[in-house]
Amino acid sequence: MTENSIDRDIPEPYASVFGLYKGQFARIHDYRRAQTRVHPRRPGESKLVDSIHEAIVKTGLESGMTISFHHHFREGDYVMNLVMEEIDKMGIKDLTIAPSSIANVHEPLINLIEKGVVTGITASGLRDKLGAAVSHGIMDKPVVIRSHGGRARAMASGDIHIDVAFIGAPSCDAYGNINGTSGKATCGSLGYARMDARYADQVVAITDSLVPYPNTPVSIPQTDVDYVVRVDAIGNPEGIAKGATRLTKNPKELLIAEYAAKVIAATDYFKNGFSFQTGTGGASLAVTRFLRPMMEEHGLKAGFALGGITNTMVEMMEAGQVDKILDVQDFDHPSALSLARNDNHYEIDAEMYASPLSKGSVVNQLDVAILSALEVDTGFNVNVLTGSDGVIRGASGGHSDTAAACRMSMIVAPLVRGRIPTVVDRVTTVVTPGDSVDVVVTEYGVAVNPRREDLNTMLDGLDVPRLDINQLRDKAYAITGTPDPIRFKDRTVALVEYRDGSLIDAVHEV
Amino acid sequence: MNITHPASAGSLESSDIIVTLKPARQGIRIDLESSVKEQFGAQIEKLISQTLEELGIDAAEVQAQDQGALDCTIKARTLVAAYRAADREDYDWEGINSWIG
């Protein structure tokens, strides 16, 4: 065991292989972009193949390789299961999968892990039954958890090399021009998939809407695509918006959102042209509801909204309260439609969104990030990955990317959830380090990171209860009792990469 | 107070607990299922035991299915299950208030 700079034990050999986390910007350095193989096409050649089976055969996919998928269809994705089922039938084993994230719908992976078809996983996170299976030690090799910006960095720097990317394409022509705004299962932005298209050796587009050449607008161009397959259905549009984007009526979440909006409005960042990103939790989404009238009152417009785009941001843009939307992923159907309709709603890829090793990502221009948390500790470290029982159930997402880079990162979370305290002595797993987190907003009040004395001054006179983070923890423990530490086994089941590729934490078997 | 037959109190809603008490020859035996067992299992078992002790129950088989209930809920459900299992309705509120906290 070796300890990184935030007192987290990182087991060997992983500590040596990945390197230890040493600080938010300790590993920003020059490098050469990774190379990919290109199989050029002559005039007259076709990319269209008859089946997923034929596409797999043509790519020469074999045991030991790395393949990838995107998660833009979220809980509505059919593509990963379709492709993995075919791969299993063909007897290919020992694959590493590198999807941008994994949803509940990908539970069949458990069986494929048991059969040795999948032996390595890197993703933003794991949900539900697969998360539980991994936490109970189903895999020999630990899963590598990467943030969205971290995944983009890993692809650009060659830490992940993808042999074959299978890209679900809402619409595609026979020569491989793809977009996410037309077709049957429209997911809007293809920001994560664009990385796979650029950095994978071979790219298979899988579509249920084959359209005449050329398919425009072009989100992923023909120059990045090797094969095109038509299937009956690539995804269920209903599943794309599932879960994440409900508009809350919960009074606790509304109070948190109101406090958060008041904090934002009290800072120097709240001025004409400011920018923001919201997460998908109930309270996080509701912040904009309280912010809108405050913006009106002050005659302010936002310069851009970033993210994970929801209909709320689109409504603000169409009402003239937000100039532009920079969109790496859409969380609901109206947002996907807006990308097609609105010139000021612009699709960006994951590298432009959040990579720490790009020539400047959008998060570096962001004023305010409103983020959620499963746990936050008195050192302001945040866990969005493991439940309080130690089981992997969440995803890193863009949490650490936005928190590190923006001018004010704000965690909005209830103080307790049932008997589980949110503000604790020490989070189960660190995804975002305390150095990146500026304000914690709960229904009991707001705690500012002591590192941000300037922010404390900005909030002087604010009519929101102000506490220090230890007081918030004390209030939480007074309700729930002090939790006993979780007993983990020795085996490492997941490695949590910081966005720069160093290890910020490790998750052990339960 | 003596437990004469099985009885329960509570529900399976989140933040609630079902406490079921059954007669036993001697001692308190607790079988706890809990969504927060890792962090709070020992504390919940102790709280159930203490509540039964305050009621003068020294023999019971306890089954508890917890969905993350807070201490106040756990005490209330245990108390009511005990009164039901003892066929008693003569709640001594002042007496209970003196120890239930």
Side-chain angles (χ1 to χ4, degrees):
Chain A
M1 290 276 193
T2 327
E3 231 174 52
N4 65 15
S5 71
I6 54 162
D7 300 334
R8 294 280 159 164
D9 285 332
I10 309 296
E12 290 294 353
Y14 313 112
S16 303
V17 174
F18 289 78
L20 294 171
Y21 172 77
K22 292 194 176 106
Q24 293 178 91
F25 307 110
R27 249 170 65 163
I28 307 288
H29 51 74
D30 292 5
Y31 68 108
R32 280 193 188 280
R33 281 214 178 108
Q35 294 187 332
T36 60
R37 285 181 63 81
V38 177
H39 172 65
R41 294 293 188 166
R42 292 180 172 78
E45 275 185 64
S46 167
K47 296 183 182 180
L48 205 57
V49 294
D50 286 335
S51 63
I52 290 175
H53 175 85
E54 192 187 339
I56 295 170
V57 171
K58 291 222 167 182
T59 60
L61 182 71
E62 53 188 48
S63 299
M65 285 186 168
T66 298
I67 60 175
S68 75
F69 304 90
H70 69 70
H71 75 291
H72 290 285
F73 303 126
R74 305 179 71 236
E75 289 297 342
D77 178 53
Y78 297 160
V79 173
M80 194 193 308
N81 290 344
L82 276 174
V83 171
M84 293 311 300
E85 198 181 319
E86 187 56 40
I87 284 173
D88 180 29
K89 275 191 210 153
M90 293 170 70
I92 299 168
K93 305 260 183 206
D94 192 23
L95 291 178
T96 294
I97 60 167
S100 45
S101 197
I102 295 178
N104 293 330
V105 70
H106 301 122
E107 195 188 314
L109 283 173
I110 295 173
N111 181 36
L112 297 176
I113 294 166
E114 282 166 347
K115 289 166 84 169
V117 178
V118 173
T119 55
I121 297 178
T122 173
S124 164
L126 302 171
R127 307 280 181 189
D128 209 28
K129 289 185 179 146
L130 180 60
V134 167
S135 276
H136 287 102
I138 192 177
M139 299 194 67
D140 291 335
K141 267 191 282 189
V143 170
V144 180
I145 301 293
R146 290 184 161 107
S147 72
H148 290 325
R151 179 177 191 262
R153 178 224 84 240
M155 291 170 95
S157 65
D159 289 353
I160 307 176
H161 183 79
I162 291 162
D163 295 294
V164 185
F166 295 92
I167 294 180
S171 69
C172 186
D173 64 42
Y175 218 48
N177 293 298
I178 301 169
N179 72 53
T181 49
S182 57
K184 294 174 199 158
T186 45
C187 59
S189 175
L190 288 168
Y192 300 120
R194 285 165 77 165
M195 298 303 297
D196 303 49
R198 199 182 331 147
Y199 286 104
D201 279 349
Q202 298 191 77
V203 174
V204 178
I206 299 174
T207 190
D208 54 10
S209 300
L210 194 64
V211 299
Y213 184 89
N215 183 31
T216 59
V218 177
S219 169
I220 292 173
Q222 62 188 47
T223 43
D224 283 341
V225 176
D226 294 273
Y227 301 102
V228 177
V229 189
R230 180 157 56 173
V231 297
D232 290 339
I234 56 169
N236 171 7
E238 310 256 303
I240 295 173
K242 200 169 166 186
T245 60
R246 75 209 151 84
L247 274 178
T248 186
K249 288 185 181 142
N250 178 332
K252 194 152 95 170
E253 289 182 334
L254 290 172
L255 184 61
I256 297 167
E258 186 181 347
Y259 284 170
K262 282 181 174 171
V263 168
I264 294 169
T267 65
D268 300 348
Y269 311 118
F270 193 62
K271 56 177 192 249
N272 222 16
F274 83 106
S275 55
F276 67 95
Q277 168 163 350
T278 54
T280 55
S284 174
L285 276 177
V287 174
T288 46
R289 195 190 299 182
F290 291 95
L291 209 53
R292 288 181 74 171
M294 294 177 187
M295 289 168 69
E296 246 163 61
E297 191 187 317
H298 291 82
L300 294 187
K301 265 168 61 167
F304 70 92
L306 175 65
I309 302 303
T310 62
N311 192 32
T312 308
M313 291 167 169
V314 173
E315 282 172 8
M316 288 178 79
M317 184 173 73
E318 292 184 339
Q321 287 187 300
V322 170
D323 280 337
K324 299 197 178 187
I325 291 176
L326 297 178
D327 181 351
V328 71
Q329 178 183 20
D330 292 287
F331 286 136
D332 52 33
H333 199 56
S335 308
L337 297 179
S338 163
L339 179 63
R341 177 174 76 230
N342 287 312
D343 286 342
N344 285 332
H345 185 160
Y346 188 75
E347 183 176 8
I348 59 172
D349 67 30
E351 187 172 35
M352 178 163 168
Y353 167 45
S355 171
L357 294 194
S358 72
K359 294 184 183 180
S361 50
V362 179
V363 289
N364 295 353
Q365 296 289 328
L366 182 65
D367 289 320
V368 179
I370 302 154
L371 302 163
S372 55
L374 292 170
E375 292 176 324
V376 50
D377 68 24
T378 49
F380 288 82
N381 301 296
V382 176
N383 170 22
V384 285
L385 186 67
T386 48
S388 56
D389 52 0
V391 174
I392 303 170
R393 54 175 279 212
S396 171
H399 202 285
S400 64
D401 300 307
T402 48
C406 74
R407 290 176 187 85
M408 178 175 72
S409 67
M410 178 182 258
I411 303 296
V412 291
L415 188 70
V416 299
R417 294 177 171 98
R419 196 177 176 141
I420 306 292
T422 305
V423 183
V424 297
D425 278 325
R426 186 175 162 87
V427 291
T428 310
T429 309
V430 180
V431 170
T432 297
D435 277 351
S436 300
V437 175
D438 298 318
V439 193
V440 175
V441 182
T442 74
E443 71 277 30
Y444 285 81
V446 170
V448 175
N449 193 326
R451 202 177 42 82
R452 290 298 309 268
E453 201 39 59
D454 60 325
L455 203 51
N456 244 327
T457 312
M458 289 181 214
L459 301 185
D460 270 350
L462 182 67
D463 67 334
V464 166
R466 301 272 299 283
L467 298 92
D468 78 37
I469 192 80
N470 295 302
Q471 291 172 311
L472 277 183
R473 178 220 37 215
D474 292 345
K475 276 186 183 293
Y477 285 6
I479 297 166
T480 65
T482 303
D484 296 330
I486 301 163
R487 280 159 302 184
F488 289 99
K489 297 175 184 165
D490 286 342
R491 180 137 147 240
T492 306
V493 296
L495 302 166
V496 186
E497 259 195 11
Y498 188 58
R499 59 199 297 254
D500 65 6
S502 64
L503 291 183
I504 194 159
D505 211 342
V507 182
H508 293 273
E509 185 179 345
V510 292
Chain B
M1 194 179 284
N2 277 323
I3 291 180
T4 56
H5 59 82
S8 307
S11 78
L12 287 173
E13 297 295 315
S14 59
S15 297
D16 201 350
I17 181 171
I18 292 192
V19 178
T20 304
L21 300 179
K22 291 178 184 168
R25 277 168 194 233
Q26 57 174 24
I28 306 282
R29 205 179 65 80
I30 300 175
D31 177 15
L32 173 70
E33 277 176 48
S34 172
S35 57
V36 295
K37 193 163 181 172
E38 279 288 330
Q39 311 96 304
F40 295 107
Q43 294 177 49
I44 294 168
E45 288 181 16
K46 192 172 157 204
L47 192 63
I48 292 172
S49 292
Q50 280 174 348
T51 307
L52 293 175
E53 201 178 297
E54 292 287 356
L55 293 167
I57 295 170
D58 50 16
E61 191 183 318
V62 184
Q63 279 177 337
Q65 271 182 287
D66 169 56
Q67 306 291 339
L70 297 176
D71 283 359
C72 50
T73 310
I74 295 166
K75 282 188 276 194
R77 296 309 193 191
T78 306
L79 180 80
V80 172
Y83 270 78
R84 286 176 180 167
D87 273 331
R88 295 257 305 261
E89 286 180 13
D90 55 335
Y91 289 96
D92 169 18
W93 294 117
E94 275 184 23
I96 291 167
N97 264 337
S98 70
W99 55 263
I100 204 158

